[in-house]
Amino acid sequence: MASILRVDTLTDASSNNSVATSFVASGSDKFWANVVADGTSVSDSFNQGSFTDSGTGIGVCNFTSNMGNVNYVNKMGSTLYDYSAGNSVRLSQVTVQATGSCNIDAFYESASSEVAYEDRPKLVAIAGDLA
């Protein structure tokens, strides 16, 4: 027999601080992944179904549980890559947002164009509503 725990509010031991469970659920990331530097796999994740390496600096993160819509917020990082040697800031971005996946792109700006790279991990997190 399955048990159900129904809680509207979480309160600390002193009963001085409390928060609604809806706030906790709405404010939590629904997906995150740490794509390894060579871009071929994911070293750790949450709600990650699979990862597809689509080329240098390009990948597709497929979610285990779909997002409710494509209007979710993505958070990605950038790293400074040996700036003293004249190299650029490495950027990562989500280029396509779908309910079941997102495409990530890693690049840096050269003098004339964007250059794809795979020498740094790509970190992505998504906040929004699950389906």
PDB file of all heavy atoms in Angstrom, residues 56-99:
ATOM      1  N   THR A  56      31.296  19.781 -32.846  1.00  0.00           N
ATOM      2  CA  THR A  56      32.171  20.572 -31.982  1.00  0.00           C
ATOM      3  C   THR A  56      31.395  21.682 -31.293  1.00  0.00           C
ATOM      4  O   THR A  56      30.823  22.552 -31.931  1.00  0.00           O
ATOM      5  CB  THR A  56      33.327  21.178 -32.796  1.00  0.00           C
ATOM      6  OG1 THR A  56      34.050  20.132 -33.432  1.00  0.00           O
ATOM      7  CG2 THR A  56      34.264  21.974 -31.898  1.00  0.00           C
ATOM      8  N   GLY A  57      31.344  21.615 -29.964  1.00  0.00           N
ATOM      9  CA  GLY A  57      30.690  22.637 -29.166  1.00  0.00           C
ATOM     10  C   GLY A  57      29.179  22.614 -29.193  1.00  0.00           C
ATOM     11  O   GLY A  57      28.544  23.493 -28.632  1.00  0.00           O
ATOM     12  N   ILE A  58      28.570  21.620 -29.819  1.00  0.00           N
ATOM     13  CA  ILE A  58      27.109  21.570 -29.963  1.00  0.00           C
ATOM     14  C   ILE A  58      26.593  20.255 -29.391  1.00  0.00           C
ATOM     15  O   ILE A  58      27.153  19.187 -29.651  1.00  0.00           O
ATOM     16  CB  ILE A  58      26.690  21.676 -31.446  1.00  0.00           C
ATOM     17  CG1 ILE A  58      27.242  22.956 -32.065  1.00  0.00           C
ATOM     18  CG2 ILE A  58      25.182  21.637 -31.586  1.00  0.00           C
ATOM     19  CD1 ILE A  58      27.117  23.003 -33.568  1.00  0.00           C
ATOM     20  N   GLY A  59      25.532  20.335 -28.601  1.00  0.00           N
ATOM     21  CA  GLY A  59      24.945  19.127 -28.041  1.00  0.00           C
ATOM     22  C   GLY A  59      23.483  19.313 -27.753  1.00  0.00           C
ATOM     23  O   GLY A  59      22.973  20.440 -27.691  1.00  0.00           O
ATOM     24  N   VAL A  60      22.775  18.204 -27.572  1.00  0.00           N
ATOM     25  CA  VAL A  60      21.354  18.219 -27.245  1.00  0.00           C
ATOM     26  C   VAL A  60      21.164  17.491 -25.920  1.00  0.00           C
ATOM     27  O   VAL A  60      21.560  16.335 -25.786  1.00  0.00           O
ATOM     28  CB  VAL A  60      20.500  17.549 -28.341  1.00  0.00           C
ATOM     29  CG1 VAL A  60      19.028  17.560 -27.959  1.00  0.00           C
ATOM     30  CG2 VAL A  60      20.717  18.210 -29.684  1.00  0.00           C
ATOM     31  N   CYS A  61      20.578  18.188 -24.946  1.00  0.00           N
ATOM     32  CA  CYS A  61      20.222  17.595 -23.658  1.00  0.00           C
ATOM     33  C   CYS A  61      18.755  17.219 -23.719  1.00  0.00           C
ATOM     34  O   CYS A  61      17.894  18.079 -23.910  1.00  0.00           O
ATOM     35  CB  CYS A  61      20.456  18.605 -22.538  1.00  0.00           C
ATOM     36  SG  CYS A  61      22.171  19.083 -22.306  1.00  0.00           S
ATOM     37  N   ASN A  62      18.467  15.936 -23.593  1.00  0.00           N
ATOM     38  CA  ASN A  62      17.083  15.449 -23.598  1.00  0.00           C
ATOM     39  C   ASN A  62      16.631  15.236 -22.159  1.00  0.00           C
ATOM     40  O   ASN A  62      17.331  14.606 -21.377  1.00  0.00           O
ATOM     41  CB  ASN A  62      16.991  14.142 -24.388  1.00  0.00           C
ATOM     42  CG  ASN A  62      17.354  14.358 -25.836  1.00  0.00           C
ATOM     43  OD1 ASN A  62      16.662  15.050 -26.555  1.00  0.00           O
ATOM     44  ND2 ASN A  62      18.477  13.778 -26.256  1.00  0.00           N
ATOM     45  N   PHE A  63      15.461  15.768 -21.816  1.00  0.00           N
ATOM     46  CA  PHE A  63      14.955  15.710 -20.456  1.00  0.00           C
ATOM     47  C   PHE A  63      14.259  14.377 -20.184  1.00  0.00           C
ATOM     48  O   PHE A  63      13.623  13.819 -21.071  1.00  0.00           O
ATOM     49  CB  PHE A  63      13.951  16.837 -20.197  1.00  0.00           C
ATOM     50  CG  PHE A  63      14.423  18.207 -20.598  1.00  0.00           C
ATOM     51  CD1 PHE A  63      13.531  19.120 -21.121  1.00  0.00           C
ATOM     52  CD2 PHE A  63      15.750  18.591 -20.449  1.00  0.00           C
ATOM     53  CE1 PHE A  63      13.942  20.399 -21.484  1.00  0.00           C
ATOM     54  CE2 PHE A  63      16.173  19.864 -20.811  1.00  0.00           C
ATOM     55  CZ  PHE A  63      15.267  20.768 -21.336  1.00  0.00           C
ATOM     56  N   THR A  64      14.329  13.911 -18.953  1.00  0.00           N
ATOM     57  CA  THR A  64      13.569  12.743 -18.532  1.00  0.00           C
ATOM     58  C   THR A  64      12.095  13.113 -18.412  1.00  0.00           C
ATOM     59  O   THR A  64      11.222  12.406 -18.893  1.00  0.00           O
ATOM     60  CB  THR A  64      14.085  12.213 -17.182  1.00  0.00           C
ATOM     61  OG1 THR A  64      15.466  11.883 -17.327  1.00  0.00           O
ATOM     62  CG2 THR A  64      13.321  11.000 -16.722  1.00  0.00           C
ATOM     63  N   SER A  65      11.816  14.243 -17.754  1.00  0.00           N
ATOM     64  CA  SER A  65      10.455  14.772 -17.624  1.00  0.00           C
ATOM     65  C   SER A  65      10.370  16.075 -18.400  1.00  0.00           C
ATOM     66  O   SER A  65      11.205  16.970 -18.201  1.00  0.00           O
ATOM     67  CB  SER A  65      10.113  15.036 -16.158  1.00  0.00           C
ATOM     68  OG  SER A  65      10.130  13.836 -15.424  1.00  0.00           O
ATOM     69  N   ASN A  66       9.388  16.194 -19.282  1.00  0.00           N
ATOM     70  CA  ASN A  66       9.255  17.381 -20.126  1.00  0.00           C
ATOM     71  C   ASN A  66       8.936  18.627 -19.322  1.00  0.00           C
ATOM     72  O   ASN A  66       8.307  18.572 -18.268  1.00  0.00           O
ATOM     73  CB  ASN A  66       8.144  17.181 -21.164  1.00  0.00           C
ATOM     74  CG  ASN A  66       8.551  16.248 -22.270  1.00  0.00           C
ATOM     75  OD1 ASN A  66       9.707  15.857 -22.392  1.00  0.00           O
ATOM     76  ND2 ASN A  66       7.589  15.874 -23.083  1.00  0.00           N
ATOM     77  N   MET A  67       9.337  19.767 -19.870  1.00  0.00           N
ATOM     78  CA  MET A  67       8.947  21.060 -19.330  1.00  0.00           C
ATOM     79  C   MET A  67       7.513  21.339 -19.776  1.00  0.00           C
ATOM     80  O   MET A  67       7.045  20.800 -20.779  1.00  0.00           O
ATOM     81  CB  MET A  67       9.891  22.152 -19.831  1.00  0.00           C
ATOM     82  CG  MET A  67      11.351  21.950 -19.427  1.00  0.00           C
ATOM     83  SD  MET A  67      11.620  21.866 -17.656  1.00  0.00           S
ATOM     84  CE  MET A  67      11.209  23.539 -17.181  1.00  0.00           C
ATOM     85  N   GLY A  68       6.821  22.212 -19.047  1.00  0.00           N
ATOM     86  CA  GLY A  68       5.435  22.527 -19.347  1.00  0.00           C
ATOM     87  C   GLY A  68       5.263  23.335 -20.626  1.00  0.00           C
ATOM     88  O   GLY A  68       4.230  23.271 -21.277  1.00  0.00           O
ATOM     89  N   ASN A  69       6.280  24.107 -20.986  1.00  0.00           N
ATOM     90  CA  ASN A  69       6.257  24.902 -22.215  1.00  0.00           C
ATOM     91  C   ASN A  69       7.688  25.287 -22.564  1.00  0.00           C
ATOM     92  O   ASN A  69       8.626  24.902 -21.856  1.00  0.00           O
ATOM     93  CB  ASN A  69       5.368  26.151 -22.058  1.00  0.00           C
ATOM     94  CG  ASN A  69       5.795  27.009 -20.903  1.00  0.00           C
ATOM     95  OD1 ASN A  69       6.941  27.429 -20.803  1.00  0.00           O
ATOM     96  ND2 ASN A  69       4.863  27.280 -19.990  1.00  0.00           N
ATOM     97  N   VAL A  70       7.882  26.028 -23.636  1.00  0.00           N
ATOM     98  CA  VAL A  70       9.237  26.403 -24.072  1.00  0.00           C
ATOM     99  C   VAL A  70       9.689  27.742 -23.495  1.00  0.00           C
ATOM    100  O   VAL A  70      10.738  28.245 -23.862  1.00  0.00           O
ATOM    101  CB  VAL A  70       9.342  26.450 -25.616  1.00  0.00           C
ATOM    102  CG1 VAL A  70       9.058  25.087 -26.210  1.00  0.00           C
ATOM    103  CG2 VAL A  70       8.413  27.503 -26.197  1.00  0.00           C
ATOM    104  N   ASN A  71       8.922  28.300 -22.568  1.00  0.00           N
ATOM    105  CA  ASN A  71       9.243  29.605 -21.998  1.00  0.00           C
ATOM    106  C   ASN A  71      10.054  29.512 -20.709  1.00  0.00           C
ATOM    107  O   ASN A  71      10.033  30.419 -19.895  1.00  0.00           O
ATOM    108  CB  ASN A  71       7.954  30.386 -21.750  1.00  0.00           C
ATOM    109  CG  ASN A  71       7.205  30.619 -23.044  1.00  0.00           C
ATOM    110  OD1 ASN A  71       7.797  30.923 -24.063  1.00  0.00           O
ATOM    111  ND2 ASN A  71       5.899  30.441 -23.004  1.00  0.00           N
ATOM    112  N   TYR A  72      10.778  28.421 -20.513  1.00  0.00           N
ATOM    113  CA  TYR A  72      11.591  28.271 -19.318  1.00  0.00           C
ATOM    114  C   TYR A  72      12.857  29.121 -19.414  1.00  0.00           C
ATOM    115  O   TYR A  72      13.233  29.599 -20.479  1.00  0.00           O
ATOM    116  CB  TYR A  72      11.942  26.801 -19.067  1.00  0.00           C
ATOM    117  CG  TYR A  72      12.515  26.050 -20.242  1.00  0.00           C
ATOM    118  CD1 TYR A  72      13.862  26.141 -20.569  1.00  0.00           C
ATOM    119  CD2 TYR A  72      11.709  25.216 -21.015  1.00  0.00           C
ATOM    120  CE1 TYR A  72      14.396  25.424 -21.629  1.00  0.00           C
ATOM    121  CE2 TYR A  72      12.234  24.497 -22.072  1.00  0.00           C
ATOM    122  CZ  TYR A  72      13.579  24.606 -22.369  1.00  0.00           C
ATOM    123  OH  TYR A  72      14.105  23.902 -23.424  1.00  0.00           O
ATOM    124  N   VAL A  73      13.483  29.303 -18.270  1.00  0.00           N
ATOM    125  CA  VAL A  73      14.693  30.115 -18.186  1.00  0.00           C
ATOM    126  C   VAL A  73      15.895  29.186 -18.105  1.00  0.00           C
ATOM    127  O   VAL A  73      15.905  28.228 -17.335  1.00  0.00           O
ATOM    128  CB  VAL A  73      14.652  31.022 -16.939  1.00  0.00           C
ATOM    129  CG1 VAL A  73      15.959  31.766 -16.764  1.00  0.00           C
ATOM    130  CG2 VAL A  73      13.479  31.975 -17.032  1.00  0.00           C
ATOM    131  N   ASN A  74      16.903  29.455 -18.900  1.00  0.00           N
ATOM    132  CA  ASN A  74      18.126  28.663 -18.829  1.00  0.00           C
ATOM    133  C   ASN A  74      19.246  29.507 -18.250  1.00  0.00           C
ATOM    134  O   ASN A  74      19.288  30.719 -18.417  1.00  0.00           O
ATOM    135  CB  ASN A  74      18.499  28.095 -20.204  1.00  0.00           C
ATOM    136  CG  ASN A  74      18.821  29.178 -21.199  1.00  0.00           C
ATOM    137  OD1 ASN A  74      19.889  29.780 -21.135  1.00  0.00           O
ATOM    138  ND2 ASN A  74      17.909  29.448 -22.112  1.00  0.00           N
ATOM    139  N   LYS A  75      20.130  28.836 -17.551  1.00  0.00           N
ATOM    140  CA  LYS A  75      21.273  29.494 -16.929  1.00  0.00           C
ATOM    141  C   LYS A  75      22.521  28.739 -17.356  1.00  0.00           C
ATOM    142  O   LYS A  75      22.613  27.532 -17.158  1.00  0.00           O
ATOM    143  CB  LYS A  75      21.134  29.464 -15.412  1.00  0.00           C
ATOM    144  CG  LYS A  75      19.834  30.070 -14.898  1.00  0.00           C
ATOM    145  CD  LYS A  75      19.678  29.841 -13.422  1.00  0.00           C
ATOM    146  CE  LYS A  75      18.898  28.587 -13.151  1.00  0.00           C
ATOM    147  NZ  LYS A  75      18.596  28.355 -11.754  1.00  0.00           N
ATOM    148  N   MET A  76      23.431  29.442 -17.979  1.00  0.00           N
ATOM    149  CA  MET A  76      24.682  28.817 -18.402  1.00  0.00           C
ATOM    150  C   MET A  76      25.843  29.688 -17.981  1.00  0.00           C
ATOM    151  O   MET A  76      25.685  30.880 -17.760  1.00  0.00           O
ATOM    152  CB  MET A  76      24.692  28.583 -19.906  1.00  0.00           C
ATOM    153  CG  MET A  76      23.627  27.586 -20.323  1.00  0.00           C
ATOM    154  SD  MET A  76      23.851  26.856 -21.929  1.00  0.00           S
ATOM    155  CE  MET A  76      25.318  25.893 -21.730  1.00  0.00           C
ATOM    156  N   GLY A  77      27.008  29.097 -17.903  1.00  0.00           N
ATOM    157  CA  GLY A  77      28.178  29.830 -17.456  1.00  0.00           C
ATOM    158  C   GLY A  77      29.167  30.106 -18.566  1.00  0.00           C
ATOM    159  O   GLY A  77      29.039  29.638 -19.689  1.00  0.00           O
ATOM    160  N   SER A  78      30.150  30.912 -18.225  1.00  0.00           N
ATOM    161  CA  SER A  78      31.254  31.183 -19.141  1.00  0.00           C
ATOM    162  C   SER A  78      32.544  31.105 -18.348  1.00  0.00           C
ATOM    163  O   SER A  78      32.549  31.221 -17.120  1.00  0.00           O
ATOM    164  CB  SER A  78      31.107  32.562 -19.788  1.00  0.00           C
ATOM    165  OG  SER A  78      31.112  33.566 -18.798  1.00  0.00           O
ATOM    166  N   THR A  79      33.637  30.872 -19.020  1.00  0.00           N
ATOM    167  CA  THR A  79      34.930  30.807 -18.358  1.00  0.00           C
ATOM    168  C   THR A  79      35.934  31.650 -19.112  1.00  0.00           C
ATOM    169  O   THR A  79      35.850  31.800 -20.336  1.00  0.00           O
ATOM    170  CB  THR A  79      35.457  29.359 -18.283  1.00  0.00           C
ATOM    171  OG1 THR A  79      35.550  28.827 -19.606  1.00  0.00           O
ATOM    172  CG2 THR A  79      34.564  28.483 -17.441  1.00  0.00           C
ATOM    173  N   LEU A  80      36.869  32.207 -18.381  1.00  0.00           N
ATOM    174  CA  LEU A  80      37.963  32.959 -18.985  1.00  0.00           C
ATOM    175  C   LEU A  80      39.067  31.971 -19.291  1.00  0.00           C
ATOM    176  O   LEU A  80      39.556  31.276 -18.401  1.00  0.00           O
ATOM    177  CB  LEU A  80      38.440  34.034 -18.011  1.00  0.00           C
ATOM    178  CG  LEU A  80      39.438  35.041 -18.532  1.00  0.00           C
ATOM    179  CD1 LEU A  80      38.854  35.810 -19.714  1.00  0.00           C
ATOM    180  CD2 LEU A  80      39.818  36.016 -17.427  1.00  0.00           C
ATOM    181  N   TYR A  81      39.461  31.884 -20.529  1.00  0.00           N
ATOM    182  CA  TYR A  81      40.428  30.894 -20.947  1.00  0.00           C
ATOM    183  C   TYR A  81      41.773  31.560 -21.217  1.00  0.00           C
ATOM    184  O   TYR A  81      41.987  32.131 -22.272  1.00  0.00           O
ATOM    185  CB  TYR A  81      39.924  30.159 -22.189  1.00  0.00           C
ATOM    186  CG  TYR A  81      40.867  29.101 -22.706  1.00  0.00           C
ATOM    187  CD1 TYR A  81      41.064  27.937 -21.995  1.00  0.00           C
ATOM    188  CD2 TYR A  81      41.549  29.282 -23.894  1.00  0.00           C
ATOM    189  CE1 TYR A  81      41.917  26.958 -22.454  1.00  0.00           C
ATOM    190  CE2 TYR A  81      42.405  28.307 -24.368  1.00  0.00           C
ATOM    191  CZ  TYR A  81      42.591  27.148 -23.647  1.00  0.00           C
ATOM    192  OH  TYR A  81      43.436  26.194 -24.104  1.00  0.00           O
ATOM    193  N   ASP A  82      42.677  31.525 -20.277  1.00  0.00           N
ATOM    194  CA  ASP A  82      44.046  32.026 -20.421  1.00  0.00           C
ATOM    195  C   ASP A  82      44.082  33.374 -21.126  1.00  0.00           C
ATOM    196  O   ASP A  82      44.686  33.529 -22.174  1.00  0.00           O
ATOM    197  CB  ASP A  82      44.893  30.991 -21.166  1.00  0.00           C
ATOM    198  CG  ASP A  82      46.385  31.296 -21.053  1.00  0.00           C
ATOM    199  OD1 ASP A  82      46.754  32.190 -20.267  1.00  0.00           O
ATOM    200  OD2 ASP A  82      47.163  30.657 -21.760  1.00  0.00           O
ATOM    201  N   TYR A  83      43.411  34.332 -20.528  1.00  0.00           N
ATOM    202  CA  TYR A  83      43.305  35.660 -21.126  1.00  0.00           C
ATOM    203  C   TYR A  83      44.671  36.304 -21.344  1.00  0.00           C
ATOM    204  O   TYR A  83      44.872  37.037 -22.301  1.00  0.00           O
ATOM    205  CB  TYR A  83      42.424  36.551 -20.257  1.00  0.00           C
ATOM    206  CG  TYR A  83      42.017  37.831 -20.932  1.00  0.00           C
ATOM    207  CD1 TYR A  83      41.118  37.825 -21.983  1.00  0.00           C
ATOM    208  CD2 TYR A  83      42.544  39.049 -20.518  1.00  0.00           C
ATOM    209  CE1 TYR A  83      40.743  38.990 -22.615  1.00  0.00           C
ATOM    210  CE2 TYR A  83      42.174  40.222 -21.137  1.00  0.00           C
ATOM    211  CZ  TYR A  83      41.274  40.192 -22.186  1.00  0.00           C
ATOM    212  OH  TYR A  83      40.904  41.346 -22.810  1.00  0.00           O
ATOM    213  N   SER A  84      45.638  36.004 -20.481  1.00  0.00           N
ATOM    214  CA  SER A  84      46.974  36.597 -20.614  1.00  0.00           C
ATOM    215  C   SER A  84      47.649  36.182 -21.921  1.00  0.00           C
ATOM    216  O   SER A  84      48.511  36.881 -22.421  1.00  0.00           O
ATOM    217  CB  SER A  84      47.851  36.208 -19.422  1.00  0.00           C
ATOM    218  OG  SER A  84      48.035  34.808 -19.394  1.00  0.00           O
ATOM    219  N   ALA A  85      47.240  35.046 -22.472  1.00  0.00           N
ATOM    220  CA  ALA A  85      47.822  34.573 -23.734  1.00  0.00           C
ATOM    221  C   ALA A  85      47.032  35.081 -24.932  1.00  0.00           C
ATOM    222  O   ALA A  85      47.266  34.658 -26.061  1.00  0.00           O
ATOM    223  CB  ALA A  85      47.871  33.052 -23.743  1.00  0.00           C
ATOM    224  N   GLY A  86      46.089  35.980 -24.704  1.00  0.00           N
ATOM    225  CA  GLY A  86      45.322  36.548 -25.813  1.00  0.00           C
ATOM    226  C   GLY A  86      44.089  35.762 -26.179  1.00  0.00           C
ATOM    227  O   GLY A  86      43.432  36.053 -27.170  1.00  0.00           O
ATOM    228  N   ASN A  87      43.742  34.734 -25.380  1.00  0.00           N
ATOM    229  CA  ASN A  87      42.540  33.962 -25.667  1.00  0.00           C
ATOM    230  C   ASN A  87      41.309  34.670 -25.116  1.00  0.00           C
ATOM    231  O   ASN A  87      41.404  35.602 -24.325  1.00  0.00           O
ATOM    232  CB  ASN A  87      42.651  32.559 -25.078  1.00  0.00           C
ATOM    233  CG  ASN A  87      43.679  31.735 -25.812  1.00  0.00           C
ATOM    234  OD1 ASN A  87      43.723  31.734 -27.036  1.00  0.00           O
ATOM    235  ND2 ASN A  87      44.531  31.062 -25.067  1.00  0.00           N
ATOM    236  N   SER A  88      40.150  34.219 -25.516  1.00  0.00           N
ATOM    237  CA  SER A  88      38.897  34.896 -25.226  1.00  0.00           C
ATOM    238  C   SER A  88      38.113  34.232 -24.109  1.00  0.00           C
ATOM    239  O   SER A  88      38.429  33.133 -23.676  1.00  0.00           O
ATOM    240  CB  SER A  88      38.025  34.906 -26.478  1.00  0.00           C
ATOM    241  OG  SER A  88      38.684  35.520 -27.541  1.00  0.00           O
ATOM    242  N   VAL A  89      37.058  34.906 -23.695  1.00  0.00           N
ATOM    243  CA  VAL A  89      36.089  34.335 -22.776  1.00  0.00           C
ATOM    244  C   VAL A  89      35.323  33.252 -23.525  1.00  0.00           C
ATOM    245  O   VAL A  89      34.881  33.449 -24.649  1.00  0.00           O
ATOM    246  CB  VAL A  89      35.126  35.428 -22.271  1.00  0.00           C
ATOM    247  CG1 VAL A  89      34.003  34.825 -21.450  1.00  0.00           C
ATOM    248  CG2 VAL A  89      35.885  36.471 -21.472  1.00  0.00           C
ATOM    249  N   ARG A  90      35.196  32.101 -22.897  1.00  0.00           N
ATOM    250  CA  ARG A  90      34.446  30.993 -23.485  1.00  0.00           C
ATOM    251  C   ARG A  90      32.997  31.103 -23.028  1.00  0.00           C
ATOM    252  O   ARG A  90      32.730  31.252 -21.850  1.00  0.00           O
ATOM    253  CB  ARG A  90      35.012  29.656 -23.038  1.00  0.00           C
ATOM    254  CG  ARG A  90      36.498  29.477 -23.300  1.00  0.00           C
ATOM    255  CD  ARG A  90      36.818  29.507 -24.752  1.00  0.00           C
ATOM    256  NE  ARG A  90      38.086  28.844 -24.980  1.00  0.00           N
ATOM    257  CZ  ARG A  90      38.834  29.050 -26.039  1.00  0.00           C
ATOM    258  NH1 ARG A  90      38.464  29.909 -26.962  1.00  0.00           N
ATOM    259  NH2 ARG A  90      39.955  28.413 -26.205  1.00  0.00           N
ATOM    260  N   LEU A  91      32.072  31.038 -23.939  1.00  0.00           N
ATOM    261  CA  LEU A  91      30.654  31.204 -23.643  1.00  0.00           C
ATOM    262  C   LEU A  91      29.885  29.937 -23.972  1.00  0.00           C
ATOM    263  O   LEU A  91      30.231  29.208 -24.897  1.00  0.00           O
ATOM    264  CB  LEU A  91      30.077  32.360 -24.459  1.00  0.00           C
ATOM    265  CG  LEU A  91      30.755  33.714 -24.273  1.00  0.00           C
ATOM    266  CD1 LEU A  91      30.257  34.692 -25.313  1.00  0.00           C
ATOM    267  CD2 LEU A  91      30.498  34.232 -22.878  1.00  0.00           C
ATOM    268  N   SER A  92      28.831  29.707 -23.221  1.00  0.00           N
ATOM    269  CA  SER A  92      27.900  28.618 -23.503  1.00  0.00           C
ATOM    270  C   SER A  92      26.510  29.218 -23.514  1.00  0.00           C
ATOM    271  O   SER A  92      26.208  30.110 -22.731  1.00  0.00           O
ATOM    272  CB  SER A  92      27.980  27.536 -22.428  1.00  0.00           C
ATOM    273  OG  SER A  92      29.256  26.958 -22.376  1.00  0.00           O
ATOM    274  N   GLN A  93      25.668  28.729 -24.404  1.00  0.00           N
ATOM    275  CA  GLN A  93      24.304  29.234 -24.459  1.00  0.00           C
ATOM    276  C   GLN A  93      23.350  28.143 -24.916  1.00  0.00           C
ATOM    277  O   GLN A  93      23.752  27.195 -25.573  1.00  0.00           O
ATOM    278  CB  GLN A  93      24.195  30.419 -25.420  1.00  0.00           C
ATOM    279  CG  GLN A  93      24.442  30.065 -26.869  1.00  0.00           C
ATOM    280  CD  GLN A  93      24.376  31.275 -27.786  1.00  0.00           C
ATOM    281  OE1 GLN A  93      24.270  32.398 -27.336  1.00  0.00           O
ATOM    282  NE2 GLN A  93      24.444  31.038 -29.071  1.00  0.00           N
ATOM    283  N   VAL A  94      22.089  28.282 -24.514  1.00  0.00           N
ATOM    284  CA  VAL A  94      21.041  27.408 -25.030  1.00  0.00           C
ATOM    285  C   VAL A  94      20.534  28.057 -26.299  1.00  0.00           C
ATOM    286  O   VAL A  94      20.131  29.220 -26.302  1.00  0.00           O
ATOM    287  CB  VAL A  94      19.899  27.231 -24.004  1.00  0.00           C
ATOM    288  CG1 VAL A  94      18.713  26.522 -24.624  1.00  0.00           C
ATOM    289  CG2 VAL A  94      20.402  26.454 -22.793  1.00  0.00           C
ATOM    290  N   THR A  95      20.606  27.333 -27.408  1.00  0.00           N
ATOM    291  CA  THR A  95      20.220  27.903 -28.695  1.00  0.00           C
ATOM    292  C   THR A  95      18.819  27.495 -29.132  1.00  0.00           C
ATOM    293  O   THR A  95      18.199  28.193 -29.913  1.00  0.00           O
ATOM    294  CB  THR A  95      21.228  27.508 -29.797  1.00  0.00           C
ATOM    295  OG1 THR A  95      21.322  26.078 -29.838  1.00  0.00           O
ATOM    296  CG2 THR A  95      22.592  28.101 -29.516  1.00  0.00           C
ATOM    297  N   VAL A  96      18.331  26.365 -28.671  1.00  0.00           N
ATOM    298  CA  VAL A  96      16.987  25.905 -29.002  1.00  0.00           C
ATOM    299  C   VAL A  96      16.343  25.400 -27.728  1.00  0.00           C
ATOM    300  O   VAL A  96      16.929  24.591 -27.007  1.00  0.00           O
ATOM    301  CB  VAL A  96      17.007  24.770 -30.056  1.00  0.00           C
ATOM    302  CG1 VAL A  96      15.603  24.248 -30.314  1.00  0.00           C
ATOM    303  CG2 VAL A  96      17.650  25.237 -31.342  1.00  0.00           C
ATOM    304  N   GLN A  97      15.133  25.884 -27.424  1.00  0.00           N
ATOM    305  CA  GLN A  97      14.388  25.423 -26.270  1.00  0.00           C
ATOM    306  C   GLN A  97      13.147  24.687 -26.747  1.00  0.00           C
ATOM    307  O   GLN A  97      12.317  25.262 -27.440  1.00  0.00           O
ATOM    308  CB  GLN A  97      13.977  26.610 -25.380  1.00  0.00           C
ATOM    309  CG  GLN A  97      15.136  27.295 -24.729  1.00  0.00           C
ATOM    310  CD  GLN A  97      14.740  28.399 -23.773  1.00  0.00           C
ATOM    311  OE1 GLN A  97      15.590  29.138 -23.357  1.00  0.00           O
ATOM    312  NE2 GLN A  97      13.484  28.537 -23.406  1.00  0.00           N
ATOM    313  N   ALA A  98      13.040  23.406 -26.378  1.00  0.00           N
ATOM    314  CA  ALA A  98      11.862  22.600 -26.668  1.00  0.00           C
ATOM    315  C   ALA A  98      11.360  22.046 -25.341  1.00  0.00           C
ATOM    316  O   ALA A  98      12.068  22.100 -24.338  1.00  0.00           O
ATOM    317  CB  ALA A  98      12.214  21.466 -27.633  1.00  0.00           C
ATOM    318  N   THR A  99      10.142  21.523 -25.301  1.00  0.00           N
ATOM    319  CA  THR A  99       9.623  21.008 -24.035  1.00  0.00           C
ATOM    320  C   THR A  99      10.365  19.760 -23.575  1.00  0.00           C
ATOM    321  O   THR A  99      10.452  19.502 -22.386  1.00  0.00           O
ATOM    322  CB  THR A  99       8.121  20.698 -24.129  1.00  0.00           C
ATOM    323  OG1 THR A  99       7.900  19.773 -25.200  1.00  0.00           O
ATOM    324  CG2 THR A  99       7.313  21.966 -24.341  1.00  0.00           C
TER     325      THR A  99
END
